[in-house]
Amino acid sequence: RACPAGGPGAMAEAGGLGAEEPAPQAVPACVLPVKVCEVEPNAGPYPSSGLATAGFRAAKSLPPAWHHSNSALFRKAFAGCERAEHNRAEAKALAERTAATAQRAQQESTAALCRRLQDIRFWKADLQKEIEDLDAETGLLAAQKLRLERALDATEVPYAVAIDNLQCRERRQPPDLVCDEVERELLKEAELIRNIQELLKRTLLQAGNQMRLNRNHKEVCEMDWSDKVETYNSDDKCGRYSNESTNIQFHPSSVKFEESASTPETWAKFSHDNICRAEQEKMASTNLRALIDNILHDVSEDLRMQRAAVNEAFAKHCEELDDTKHKLEHHLKKTLEAIGDEEANIAALKQAIKDKEAPTKVVQTRLYDRSFRPNVELCRDEAQFRLISETKELTESIESLKRKLLESEQSLRNLEDTRMDLEKEIAVKTNSIFIDRQKCMANRTRYHVLKLSGYQ
């Protein structure tokens, strides 16, 4: 038998009894199938009857309430189904929308990572170029520094030669021991070499400092480049992640920003500042290399000119010494001739004085013999006066000859002194010529100014 609660007649009856309630919505038979209820027969020994079931019948609800309860349950089930269907539709749309949003966000993130990779690649290439340029520039500056060191070593020989020349010329004998043009040029050369050495030492120190700055900024750029390489590899790996990747997992704590994280502006500014500083140091290094070239050219040119001036002064002074020596030798020759003549003159004077002895003896003998004339014969006659006059003349002649002999002897002594002075002066000039020409000028051929260029 069919259950009364499921029949359409029962629903109509329930609607008739409760007119104040709205009519329930009809449910298709396919949605609410008819439930068949089988009633078991009363097979017990004590079948129910009469008064025994009176209390149970009194506790049950009436059919209208029963129909109302069923209608409410139907409505609730129908509304629940509608809401479920609506929720399913919204869930499906939301799932599709969130899937599209997630895909679009992932694509945008991937594109942002690609752009970021391009930025990193750009700065990495610039940094690598600066590193290579700084390394090459440091190598060129090191070569210039080596030239400076060689040039500084090359100044030792010219300085030693100049000092040796000055010390050798201190062994000159007076009156050649004078502060002449050669000594002034040698002092200028020694002072010039000392100034060149100080300049080269200062330039060497500056080149060393610049090389240290180049290496420091190269290390800074290398660290920045290394960070960029690591970041590029990390972002490249991140850009290759996809939903099918097997090495992805949850990291909830990675969403928050790090307090020490930089901004794109500060990130770009950091690399830009590193490149700018590297460019500045590279420019300073280039300028320093040009300055070193100019310094080496100028100092070699200055020392070459000073060397030429010293050599010219030496040559001129040696010519003067040769000329003076030749003149001294000529005067010595004349003096020796004069000495010979004077010696002959002295011998002649001595002979002349000796020659006056016989006439003096004659006249004095005559006067002596005539002084013995007797009495009045002792007369002052003309002969007596002539003999006295002859004696006086002979005495004056002898005195004149003796004075002249003294003058000649003094002249001879003077000539001898002059000869000695001339011979001594010739020896001094010979010594000076030997020092200037054999010692100094020969020693000056030991060094070459071209070594100051630093290539040898």
Side-chain angles (χ1 to χ4, degrees):
R1 291 176 300 171
C3 180
M11 293 179 63
E13 183 180 358
L17 292 176
E20 68 278 5
E21 294 291 333
Q25 186 176 358
V27 179
C30 62
V31 179
L32 296 176
V34 178
K35 183 178 179 181
V36 178
C37 299
E38 295 293 336
V39 180
E40 295 181 358
N42 189 4
Y46 305 101
S48 300
S49 61
L51 295 176
T53 59
F56 291 100
R57 291 195 300 269
K60 292 180 180 180
S61 60
L62 298 176
W66 179 79
H67 288 292
H68 178 73
S69 175
N70 289 334
S71 298
L73 184 59
F74 296 156
R75 288 193 300 272
K76 181 179 180 181
F78 184 76
C81 290
E82 283 189 340
R83 285 194 300 270
E85 185 178 1
H86 181 70
N87 288 336
R88 285 194 304 274
E90 289 182 352
K92 182 178 180 181
L94 180 61
E96 293 175 352
R97 187 169 63 251
T98 54
T101 302
Q103 184 179 4
R104 184 174 62 254
Q106 190 177 83
Q107 291 175 351
E108 292 176 354
S109 298
T110 304
L113 285 172
C114 292
R115 291 191 298 271
R116 185 63 174 177
L117 288 174
Q118 292 178 357
D119 294 341
I120 295 174
R121 189 184 301 112
F122 169 79
W123 287 110
K124 184 165 67 71
D126 284 355
L127 287 169
Q128 186 172 1
K129 180 179 180 300
E130 291 300 325
I131 291 170
E132 294 173 354
D133 291 347
L134 274 177
D135 187 61
E137 181 61 34
T138 304
L140 294 175
L141 187 58
Q144 292 292 78
K145 185 172 179 288
L146 181 60
R147 287 182 61 196
L148 284 174
E149 292 172 351
R150 290 175 176 173
L152 182 60
D153 293 338
T155 59
E156 295 297 331
V157 173
Y159 185 72
V161 169
I163 297 300
D164 182 71
N165 290 164
L166 290 171
Q167 291 176 349
C168 286
R169 299 189 91 243
E170 289 295 324
R171 295 195 292 270
R172 292 175 299 166
Q173 301 173 358
D176 282 2
L177 188 59
V178 295
C179 183
D180 54 3
E181 183 66 21
V182 177
E183 185 168 347
R184 286 191 292 270
E185 292 296 335
L186 282 172
L187 290 173
K188 286 173 59 177
E189 185 178 45
E191 183 65 22
L192 175 63
I193 294 174
R194 283 195 295 268
N195 293 335
I196 288 174
Q197 289 176 342
E198 291 298 325
L199 176 61
L200 293 179
K201 288 178 181 178
R202 291 196 302 270
T203 310
L204 270 173
L205 182 61
Q206 187 176 358
N209 293 333
Q210 186 61 51
M211 289 177 63
R212 185 167 55 255
L213 290 175
N214 287 353
R215 293 192 181 101
N216 291 339
H217 284 287
K218 177 175 172 287
E219 290 178 359
V220 171
C221 291
E222 285 175 343
M223 291 180 63
D224 193 3
W225 178 85
S226 178
D227 293 342
K228 293 268 185 306
V229 170
E230 184 177 355
T231 303
Y232 183 88
N233 294 334
S234 176
D235 285 354
D236 183 62
K237 181 175 69 173
C238 292
R240 297 178 185 276
Y241 283 147
S242 64
N243 296 332
E244 290 77 18
S245 300
T246 59
N247 54 345
I248 56 176
Q249 57 184 342
F250 290 107
H251 297 281
S253 60
S254 63
V255 178
K256 63 180 181 180
F257 285 106
E258 296 291 338
E259 294 182 358
S260 60
S262 61
T263 62
E265 292 76 14
T266 58
W267 175 81
K269 185 177 183 300
F270 179 77
S271 297
H272 179 267
D273 292 343
N274 288 337
I275 292 175
C276 287
R277 284 194 296 268
E279 288 286 343
Q280 292 173 359
E281 295 304 329
K282 185 172 65 175
M283 182 62 65
S285 181
T286 303
N287 295 336
L288 182 58
R289 285 195 296 109
L291 177 63
I292 291 173
D293 279 333
N294 294 333
I295 287 175
L296 292 176
H297 176 269
D298 292 343
V299 298
S300 60
E301 185 67 19
D302 292 343
L303 193 56
R304 185 191 65 79
M305 294 176 62
Q306 185 59 34
R307 179 196 178 196
V310 173
N311 291 341
E312 183 180 357
F314 264 119
K316 184 177 179 181
H317 187 61
C318 287
E319 290 179 0
E320 293 176 353
L321 288 174
D322 288 335
D323 183 64
T324 303
K325 181 184 175 185
H326 292 157
K327 290 180 179 179
L328 289 172
E329 290 174 346
H330 175 73
H331 285 290
L332 178 61
K333 181 179 178 181
K334 294 294 184 182
T335 302
L336 291 175
E337 293 176 356
I339 288 174
D341 294 341
E342 197 64 35
E343 288 176 346
N345 183 43
I346 290 174
L349 287 173
K350 287 181 179 179
Q351 185 63 40
I353 292 173
K354 186 177 181 181
D355 290 345
K356 297 299 183 290
E357 290 179 356
T360 301
K361 289 179 181 179
V362 172
V363 70
Q364 287 182 359
T365 300
R366 286 176 178 178
L367 286 173
Y368 178 76
D369 288 344
R370 293 188 84 224
S371 67
F372 291 102
R373 287 176 299 170
N375 300 321
V376 73
E377 293 299 325
L378 188 63
C379 180
R380 298 178 182 179
D381 53 7
E382 181 181 358
Q384 186 70 22
F385 284 110
R386 186 69 192 95
L387 288 172
I388 292 173
S389 176
E390 182 183 0
T391 302
K392 183 178 179 182
E393 289 176 358
L394 287 173
T395 302
E396 289 178 354
S397 297
I398 291 172
E399 291 297 327
S400 298
L401 288 173
K402 287 182 178 180
R403 287 194 300 269
K404 182 56 67 176
L405 178 61
L406 291 175
E407 290 178 3
S408 297
E409 288 176 346
Q410 183 63 39
S411 176
L412 179 60
R413 286 191 294 271
N414 292 337
L415 287 173
E416 290 291 343
D417 292 340
T418 302
R419 178 185 65 82
M420 293 178 62
D421 291 340
L422 287 172
E423 289 176 347
K424 181 180 179 181
E425 191 65 24
I426 289 172
V428 169
K429 293 296 183 289
T430 303
N431 179 65
S432 298
I433 291 173
F434 174 76
I435 289 174
D436 285 354
R437 182 168 290 160
Q438 302 299 326
K439 291 290 186 180
C440 296
M441 294 186 70
N443 196 21
R444 292 186 65 80
T445 60
R446 290 174 49 202
Y447 72 91
H448 302 281
V449 180
L450 293 178
K451 289 186 177 181
L452 286 175
S453 61
Y455 290 116
Q456 298 179 356

